[in-house]
Amino acid sequence: MREAEEEQYPELDLRLTAENVEELYEYAPCGYCSCLPDGTLVKLNQTLLGWLHYTRTELVAHRTFQELLSIGGRLHYETYCAPLLLLQGEVREISYQLRRRDGSRLSVLLNAQLLRDPLGNPLLVRITLFDITERQKYEQELLRAKSQAEEQGRQLARANEQLIAKNEQLTRINQDLDNFVYTASHDLKQPINNMAGIFEELMRTASFTDPEAPGMVSMFNDALRQMLSTIEDLTVVVQLQREQEHTTVELIELQPFTEELIRSLPARTDARFTLDFAAVPRLHFPRPGLQSILYNLLSNGLKYAHPDRPPHLWVSTALVDGAPVLSVRDNGRGIDLQRHGQELFQLFRRFHSDVPGSGVGLYLVQRLVHQAGGRIEVESQVGEGTTFRLYL
Amino acid sequence: MDVLKRNNVTVTGAGTQAMLFVHGFGCDQHMWRLVAPAFEDRYRVVLLDLVGAGQSDLTAYDPDRYNSLSAHADDILEVLAALDLPDVVLVGHSVSAMIGVLAAARAPDRIARLVLVAPSPRYLNDTDYNGGFEQADIEELLQAMDSNYLGWSASITPVIMGHLDQPELAAELNNSFCRTDPTIARHFARVTFLSDNRADLARVRTPALILQCAHDALAPLAVGTYLRQHLADSELVVLDTSGHCPHLSAPQATIAAMNTFLSPVPQEHA
């Protein structure tokens, strides 16, 4: 045999064949043991005995392999490892803690093989054990980190659930508010119309002697009209909001769209309009929404024209960072943004008491733009004019 | 819900009476492969995986529902109802022996006989009761499970779940049998080893065979005797084998003991 080997590897250094198999088994850099199918230890190597501080005679034929495990480990072995061995003939990379003679623990990784006799009956289990003390510490760290991450994940999920619930609640409240505004404006309309009718009737039939009466009557009439128009505006806000929710986005050709809109504005013969849609000729937007936005901005531009010069309005588009921007500029009175900037878009907020208006227009514009996922910027110079930029 | 799919139920064998095998903690229906085929000539053999084990529907594992063994007993009765099987011989290993006891107490008409393999009504020691374990031992088991789940990764889950029938895939997997989701296994371990079903034993009148191993770390001999005393119509057979799985370590002796219990006619050699 030896001769044959030497012939096979003629160039081999003879010292390389001097490895003693017995010694290799006893002092291998891993633990070896063999046991009967019931676990009774029949053979252990010196490395393993050294790890455990046992002598061979204390263990062989007297103890089972399972008894070397921690109790929890033994439960795992009996319920998982042992059946698995019988089912598939081997198990690999199972992590256990061995109990040394003094009760201290040694972390090991176990590979095992089941040998059967010619009839197929279990004969012997061969077990190889690797000391994984250092690796085990690292794995414990990993496990700790994992369970921490899982806990954080659970907390996140809980926070997310709360957010979703809050969001649903807010949506519901918003809906309720809209409904409330709609119902209130609807319910107020009828009695105010009645008041107007009764007052008209009263004016026809009654006579007032007080010299101040005509002035007061006129003030009463103005107040009535103001009330009616506010209610009208509220209805418009809610209706537009509802329409916007149900209308679809379409591609709008801006030049004809704006020209038609200008024709529908309150006539003012001295007004000039300059349109320039060269940069972005078409926009994706719900048609009624864009109509309302442009109508409000343009009519504002006319309403708040500078008393010293005829109104001039510029409507144009541009591309900023690849996104369309629609601008409406006027040469009107301008707004003091330092003073009013914060409340510019608030409902019923008005800044020029000498011009009739309800304070609904800009609120509506902003709401429609926001609803479409856009935003508005305002730039203004008192006495020079105002520019609204819509990032859509 | 398809309960047969949920519990990965397989039915084989010929015969009018059914024999249902229920695996214990740590494994799945593969555990029965040395015993179940021996009954296929006389019984309709039904195998299943408890929800959370083997190839059962893991999404059906709601920890709140499966917080006690009775949910598993309900599952078993649902499976038997779906298959329309009366008078079943229920063979339950380990924790499933107790699941079988619960099922028999709830539906005596469905379960004609119980074969309890390595059973224990309670694993923890108690006053005047030696279950074999302390709470700390169970915590240690959970630790052992945790440190053995490092090898578990989501990437192999579909292979384990779906393709055990394809040997070339299964062969690539370490310890491919008896694997399942670590979180579920951990929870089931708690439910299993912390349960106490001693009070349920008195509710069972079903004839029962207690099959105990002579050397079983999980169920000491005293536990077998306790069961024999508290199950009204029961007999105890101690098998000369060690470990917790006689159906794997001593399949022939297990089959023989079951046959003796199930055959009303005296055996020829007796």
Side-chain angles (χ1 to χ4, degrees):
Chain A
M1 190 63 198
R2 177 60 67 92
E3 265 171 42
E5 273 175 19
E6 278 169 17
E7 256 172 57
Q8 212 178 336
Y9 310 106
E11 75 282 9
L12 212 63
D13 185 328
L14 283 180
R15 282 174 298 175
L16 294 183
T17 63
E19 172 68 301
N20 179 325
V21 175
E22 188 62 26
E23 200 175 294
L24 169 67
Y25 175 82
E26 287 297 342
Y27 297 99
C30 59
Y32 287 125
C33 66
S34 309
C35 39
L36 300 180
D38 68 358
T40 305
L41 289 160
V42 292
K43 197 169 161 68
L44 300 93
N45 74 346
Q46 203 53 54
T47 309
L48 182 55
L49 289 169
W51 285 351
L52 300 175
H53 310 311
Y54 277 115
T55 64
R56 201 177 301 271
T57 46
E58 285 175 304
L59 296 181
V60 169
H62 291 111
R63 302 287 284 272
T64 62
F65 172 73
Q66 296 92 298
E67 287 171 307
L68 297 179
L69 299 172
S70 64
I71 296 182
R74 181 167 189 182
L75 269 172
H76 187 271
Y77 183 90
E78 299 285 4
T79 53
Y80 183 73
C81 204
L84 213 53
L85 256 179
L86 290 163
L87 273 173
Q88 58 182 26
E90 64 167 9
V91 293
R92 281 160 59 187
E93 295 184 49
I94 307 216
S95 170
Y96 283 126
Q97 299 222 304
L98 295 180
R99 284 195 295 192
R100 292 197 187 89
R101 191 192 182 137
D102 61 6
S104 63
R105 305 293 173 92
L106 174 69
S107 295
V108 292
L109 208 57
L110 168 149
N111 283 355
Q113 229 172 12
L114 176 72
L115 276 71
R116 292 178 183 274
D117 68 15
L119 292 173
N121 298 314
L123 191 66
L124 197 72
V125 181
R126 282 184 184 151
I127 296 172
T128 310
L129 301 157
F130 299 92
D131 180 351
I132 55 160
T133 308
E134 286 304 310
R135 172 169 290 255
Q136 183 74 8
K137 287 179 194 157
Y138 172 64
E139 287 177 351
Q140 294 300 331
E141 279 305 310
L142 275 180
L143 277 175
R144 249 195 302 282
K146 183 170 167 279
S147 60
Q148 244 167 33
E150 280 167 358
E151 179 51 38
Q152 277 164 0
R154 274 192 291 276
Q155 281 172 4
L156 263 181
R158 266 198 300 278
N160 209 18
E161 264 170 37
Q162 283 169 356
L163 265 181
I164 288 170
K166 259 280 174 302
N167 198 19
E168 276 169 5
Q169 196 187 356
L170 281 175
T171 309
R172 231 178 3 255
I173 290 173
N174 239 344
Q175 193 77 48
D176 289 350
L177 271 176
D178 273 359
N179 287 341
F180 172 74
V181 170
Y182 184 78
T183 314
S185 61
H186 185 267
D187 290 356
L188 282 174
K189 214 175 195 167
Q190 193 55 42
I192 289 173
N193 272 331
N194 286 348
M195 273 171 70
I198 291 165
F199 186 65
E200 209 175 308
E201 187 61 24
L202 190 69
M203 288 313 299
R204 228 168 32 83
T205 52
S207 59
F208 302 100
T209 49
D210 192 328
E212 300 211 1
M216 285 161 70
V217 163
S218 152
M219 280 162 71
F220 190 90
N221 248 331
D222 282 353
L224 255 183
R225 231 188 310 284
Q226 180 72 33
M227 246 200 290
L228 267 172
S229 105
T230 300
I231 286 165
E232 204 65 57
D233 287 339
L234 274 176
T235 315
V236 168
V237 169
V238 178
Q239 253 164 2
L240 260 175
Q241 163 95 10
R242 289 182 171 181
E243 273 172 29
Q244 180 104 340
E245 275 168 10
H246 298 110
T247 50
T248 45
V249 171
E250 51 188 301
L251 193 59
I252 298 167
E253 192 78 44
L254 289 171
Q255 186 75 28
F257 178 83
T258 313
E259 282 170 2
E260 200 190 320
L261 201 86
I262 287 168
R263 279 196 290 277
S264 71
L265 287 170
R268 177 156 176 168
T269 45
D270 60 341
R272 277 207 297 148
F273 294 90
T274 308
L275 310 182
D276 176 11
F277 302 119
V280 184
R282 285 168 291 273
L283 265 183
H284 281 283
F285 212 86
R287 188 172 283 268
L290 193 59
Q291 243 158 10
S292 177
I293 289 169
L294 264 187
Y295 184 90
N296 273 292
L297 290 179
L298 289 175
S299 59
N300 268 2
L302 295 180
K303 246 196 280 186
Y304 303 107
H306 200 282
D308 299 343
R309 52 179 181 260
H312 186 177
L313 284 87
W314 291 264
V315 188
S316 62
T317 53
L319 265 184
V320 176
D321 297 330
V325 178
L326 177 65
S327 301
V328 177
R329 179 158 76 91
D330 64 52
N331 62 341
R333 301 175 174 200
I335 311 159
D336 185 351
L337 291 176
Q338 293 282 351
R339 272 183 63 194
H340 304 302
Q342 291 289 325
E343 31 191 2
L344 191 60
F345 294 105
Q346 287 179 16
L347 189 57
F348 300 133
R349 197 55 54 126
R350 307 207 53 242
F351 308 104
H352 303 281
S353 49
D354 55 326
V355 182
S358 57
V360 167
L362 283 182
Y363 166 79
L364 195 62
V365 167
Q366 193 197 40
R367 205 164 158 176
L368 289 168
V369 170
H370 282 178
Q371 212 169 30
R375 66 186 167 89
I376 299 189
E377 271 180 14
V378 198
E379 209 180 281
S380 192
Q381 203 81 48
V382 175
E384 300 285 325
T386 307
T387 307
F388 289 91
R389 284 195 198 83
L390 281 54
Y391 295 80
L392 299 171
Chain B
M1 184 190 13
D2 183 352
V3 297
L4 301 185
K5 203 168 233 168
R6 177 191 67 190
N7 283 92
N8 188 29
V9 174
T10 52
V11 183
T12 54
T16 45
Q17 196 176 18
M19 186 179 282
L20 169 68
F21 290 91
V22 191
H23 66 86
F25 165 80
C27 207
D28 55 39
Q29 60 182 274
H30 285 95
M31 273 198 143
W32 299 109
R33 70 179 187 189
L34 301 182
V35 167
F39 296 92
E40 282 176 344
D41 57 338
R42 287 158 290 153
Y43 292 90
R44 275 184 85 186
V45 169
V46 183
L47 293 167
L48 59 74
D49 290 336
L50 294 174
V51 169
Q55 294 179 71
S56 67
D57 180 5
L58 296 192
T59 62
Y61 197 88
D62 171 7
D64 288 334
R65 170 164 148 74
Y66 291 99
N67 225 356
S68 79
L69 298 182
S70 61
H72 291 290
D74 289 342
D75 283 0
I76 283 171
L77 292 174
E78 279 172 24
V79 166
L80 294 181
L83 293 172
D84 194 21
L85 297 174
D87 296 330
V88 175
V89 178
L90 192 155
V91 187
H93 173 230
S94 192
V95 67
S96 287
M98 284 307 118
I99 292 172
V101 162
L102 293 173
R106 196 157 308 166
D109 299 341
R110 283 259 181 244
I111 318 282
R113 299 284 185 108
L114 281 169
V115 176
L116 311 176
V117 183
S120 173
R122 177 182 163 108
Y123 292 93
L124 294 183
N125 298 328
D126 194 9
T127 339
D128 300 328
Y129 178 82
N130 181 18
F133 297 94
E134 297 294 336
Q135 178 88 28
D137 301 330
I138 307 307
E139 296 303 327
E140 208 175 43
L141 165 69
L142 295 176
Q143 270 171 31
M145 290 173 69
D146 279 349
S147 58
N148 275 303
Y149 287 135
L150 292 165
W152 173 273
S153 83
S155 62
I156 62 166
T157 315
V159 183
I160 294 168
M161 295 317 148
H163 305 286
L164 261 178
D165 50 332
Q166 289 171 259
E168 70 279 7
L169 282 176
E172 290 170 19
L173 293 172
N174 240 350
N175 315 330
S176 54
F177 293 116
C178 310
R179 286 192 81 148
T180 189
D181 180 88
T183 322
I184 294 177
R186 205 174 199 285
H187 183 256
F188 187 40
R190 257 184 200 289
V191 174
T192 296
F193 290 106
L194 301 181
S195 68
D196 183 352
N197 297 102
R198 289 176 296 175
D200 299 305
L201 300 175
R203 296 162 51 212
V204 175
R205 295 278 170 275
T206 314
L209 169 65
I210 303 158
L211 273 183
Q212 209 184 7
C213 299
H215 312 281
D216 182 353
L218 270 80
L221 282 176
V223 169
T225 313
Y226 181 94
L227 280 166
R228 166 70 198 88
Q229 285 164 354
H230 290 81
L231 275 172
D233 187 2
S234 67
E235 53 188 273
L236 171 65
V237 172
V238 177
L239 297 169
D240 184 24
T241 184
S242 59
H244 188 54
C245 303
H247 46 317
L248 285 171
S249 63
Q252 291 314 318
T254 304
I255 293 165
M258 284 172 65
N259 276 331
T260 310
F261 170 67
L262 294 170
S263 310
V265 284
Q267 298 288 294
E268 279 165 74
H269 62 264

